[in-house]
Amino acid sequence: MPNPSAPSTDQVAQATATLAQAMDYLRTQPPVSDALPLLAGLLDADTGVPILLGDVLRNAARLVAEQTSAETDEIRLIITGLREAAQEATDWHVLHWDVQRLRGYAFEAAGPAAT
């Protein structure tokens, strides 16, 4: 398997800018039916943000553990923090099922239902 190249800092900035754009879009309160395809991609059970973020954090913890010459309490705390955050992020993959369930509901284009 070929060795993947490192993304540039500009590519990482573009990825986070795209997430910020999605956040801003959702703040405009679009119809849920319009937001569902966006949410489905963001929360995909295999390739969505939670899974990717968890993998990034897990790999970062592994790199720090393998490449740190001085094993100190502070380094161990950092590695533990990265691993715990990775698990929490990965746990969010279950939101994929919420998006799937939402697809079963009919949403009115007029906005939220009156209560």
Side-chain angles (χ1 to χ4, degrees), residues 2-87:
N3 214 4
S5 61
S8 70
T9 54
D10 288 342
Q11 288 172 310
V12 172
Q14 180 60 46
T16 57
T18 300
L19 284 173
Q21 182 181 3
M23 175 193 66
D24 290 341
Y25 170 69
L26 293 172
R27 283 184 177 162
T28 68
Q29 298 183 355
V32 173
S33 59
D34 291 351
L36 278 175
L38 173 69
L39 293 172
L42 287 170
L43 300 172
D44 184 84
D46 298 316
T47 59
V49 173
I51 296 299
L52 295 175
L53 180 58
D55 287 347
V56 165
L57 294 170
R58 229 182 262 57
N59 286 316
R62 181 184 47 78
L63 286 174
V64 172
E66 290 176 357
Q67 298 181 21
T68 303
S69 58
E71 189 174 319
T72 65
D73 288 341
E74 186 173 12
I75 295 295
R76 280 190 289 277
L77 285 173
I78 292 168
I79 292 167
T80 298
L82 287 167
R83 288 179 177 156
E84 288 174 356
Q87 186 58 52

